[in-house]
Amino acid sequence: MAVIPSRVLRALEAFNSAHPWSHNAHYHPWLLRQLPRRFGRALDVGCGSGDLVRLLAARSAGGVEGIDSDPQIIAQARELTPPGVSGVSGVSGVSGVPAVFAVVDARAGIPAGPYDVITCVAALHHLPFTETLTRFRGQLAPGGTLVVVGCAREADAVDDALGLLSIPLNLAMGWVKNRGRRAVSRPVAMTAVIRPPEMTFAEVRREAIRVLPRVRSRRRLFWRYTLVWRAPLA
């Protein structure tokens, strides 16, 4: 693995603290492109402050459930969600489709499906990997879509190359998104508890293929990987 000098890491951390931006939210537009334009019931696992739930609600005809194990972040998600997204129609651009948030520890299970869409962004490495993917598979409706944006431990030359490429891009994105100004505080979505991933991408891919035949897996910039899987129609 490439070794970055500690002084460079400290400088990067200082810059990122002054110009924060969410790597997870960066992938929301990509994630939405993996889904049908309209779908029924949806579940977002590890929803954090609810940014993705609110985006999914604009496409859902059956309601969206966001779950997270952190009561404080769920309280923030409820506060940030406009009334129209929680079932009261009349808000411009919102159809009144319910968006419900609940404190749920996904390690013990997830709400019963079936779901047409299940999403999980930067949360799978907090959970038992194989068991959680198996639960997702079991709760997807026939033809439903699972999309995971995950974090993996860097372990090989490809990881090193993507990591090194991500550093200048990360700095540029932070500068542009903050318009060159120092941020007063981090976005709410970045206040959740974080944990370093233990599995490498190779391990993730190997186990994902075993649980989800024909899953599409790919390493991404900004220290992320993606999984996309569609449940068989029958």
Side-chain angles (χ1 to χ4, degrees), residues 34-203:
Q34 313 311 307
L35 305 177
R37 295 185 66 85
R38 294 290 290 173
F39 48 80
R41 193 176 172 207
L43 174 69
D44 183 34
V45 178
C47 66
S49 58
D51 292 348
L52 181 56
V53 169
R54 290 184 285 275
L55 293 174
L56 294 173
R59 292 194 184 186
S60 172
V64 184
E65 299 169 55
I67 63 171
D68 201 290
S69 61
D70 185 344
Q72 292 184 332
I73 203 73
I74 285 292
Q76 290 178 313
R78 289 169 177 157
E79 290 176 4
L80 291 169
T81 303
V85 184
S86 57
V88 180
S89 61
V91 176
S92 176
V94 176
S95 63
V97 171
V100 179
F101 298 96
V103 179
V104 175
D105 187 345
R107 291 174 297 182
I110 62 175
Y115 295 99
D116 297 289
V117 166
I118 297 178
T119 58
C120 184
V121 178
L124 190 53
H125 65 288
H126 291 267
L127 305 169
F129 186 85
T130 302
E131 184 179 345
T132 302
L133 284 189
T134 302
R135 285 174 177 159
F136 290 168
R137 183 188 65 195
Q139 298 300 338
L140 266 184
T145 305
L146 167 67
V147 184
V148 172
V149 178
C151 306
R153 177 170 58 86
E154 295 184 20
D156 58 28
V158 177
D159 291 333
D160 288 345
L162 286 173
L164 290 173
L165 179 59
S166 293
I167 291 174
L169 292 176
N170 181 67
L171 298 176
M173 291 286 283
W175 183 264
V176 170
K177 287 182 177 292
N178 289 278
R179 300 180 181 179
R181 295 192 291 266
R182 179 179 291 270
V184 176
S185 61
R186 291 190 302 167
V188 175
M190 296 178 65
T191 61
V193 176
I194 60 174
R195 171 186 169 188
E198 297 179 357
M199 295 178 70
T200 66
F201 176 75
E203 293 168 337

Side-chain angles (χ1 to χ4, degrees), residues 155-159 162 201-202 217-221 224-226:
D156 58 28
V158 177
D159 291 333
L162 286 173
F201 176 75
S217 60
R218 183 177 172 182
R219 283 186 256 217
R220 301 279 177 174
L221 289 169
R224 298 292 186 270
Y225 70 83
T226 58

